[in-house]
Amino acid sequence: MSELDIAKNRAGTKWSRAEQIRRVLWALVLPAFRIVPRPFWGWRRFLLRSFGARIGQQVHVYPSVRITMPWNLTIDDYAAVGDGAILYALGPIHIGARATVSQGAHLCAGSHDIALPDRPLVKPPIEVGADAWVAADAFIGPGVTVGPRAIVGARAVAMKDVPPRTIVVGNPAKPLRTLTEDATA
């Protein structure tokens, strides 16, 4: 096994000049995102759209949500992202219609290629399907798809795809049961 090449990793270009500028501008705008009261959903949708996020109708993003790069974010109609959630959108994150990402959940669309000695940054996408629920404090890893109507239980760690209508729990997340077509959870 070859030795880690930390110097090469740190010297590598991870972001274009335009992305670096957008990140700085987003950091400057964040106080305006956070200080407005909770019911000002439209204001936060406006700010996210201003930074390239694709945000549907009646999306609720709470003021304490942490979003790294909004231009990598798509949230479809009527979805919600709860207090303290982290959308680490180094790569694309897509949250489907009517999906819920609960408080404290962490969607992590960034990692490093551990097979290479310089461990370069990788940005695999995350997909949360329509009507899915990522419960409180759950973690969704890079490249994971949470299928439509699936539920990732509280504090679960999903590092593999979650099939549609499947409830997963634990660390690592394992199937608990499958929802029937007419079941409500």
Side-chain angles (χ1 to χ4, degrees):
M1 181 170 179
S2 58
E3 197 172 291
L4 294 179
D5 191 345
I6 303 302
K8 184 176 178 185
N9 177 284
R10 290 183 180 162
T13 303
K14 296 166 183 69
W15 312 109
S16 70
R17 174 65 79 196
E19 283 176 314
Q20 290 173 352
I21 292 168
R22 284 194 291 182
R23 289 184 80 174
V24 168
L25 292 173
W26 176 242
L28 294 172
V29 167
L30 270 176
F33 184 88
R34 294 182 185 202
I35 63 170
V36 298
R38 184 177 285 183
F40 285 73
W41 313 111
W43 173 248
R44 284 183 289 283
R45 288 191 298 262
F46 166 77
L47 287 176
L48 289 168
R49 288 174 183 141
S50 296
F51 276 83
R54 288 153 306 284
I55 306 296
Q57 297 178 29
Q58 297 302 314
V59 168
H60 286 189
V61 177
Y62 283 72
S64 61
V65 172
R66 291 173 38 197
I67 300 168
T68 306
M69 301 172 94
W71 47 92
N72 287 333
L73 184 61
T74 301
I75 305 177
D76 293 343
D77 296 347
Y78 300 98
V81 182
D83 278 323
I86 299 170
L87 304 180
Y88 194 58
L90 300 186
I93 293 177
H94 179 209
I95 299 170
R98 299 168 309 282
T100 299
V101 176
S102 289
Q103 67 275 12
H106 186 157
L107 280 59
C108 182
S111 188
H112 296 272
D113 186 343
I114 61 171
L116 298 173
D118 63 333
R119 294 194 175 158
L121 182 65
V122 293
K123 306 166 193 173
I126 290 175
E127 176 84 24
V128 177
D131 302 301
W133 178 20
V134 178
D137 292 320
F139 180 87
I140 308 299
V144 171
T145 295
V146 176
R149 296 197 59 217
I151 298 172
V152 179
R155 298 235 166 151
V157 175
M159 296 301 291
K160 295 180 179 176
D161 290 352
V162 179
R165 297 186 338 271
T166 301
I167 300 172
V168 298
V169 296
N171 179 4
K174 298 206 182 312
L176 179 66
R177 71 182 178 100
T178 303
L179 298 170
T180 60
E181 285 294 325
D182 60 350
T184 58

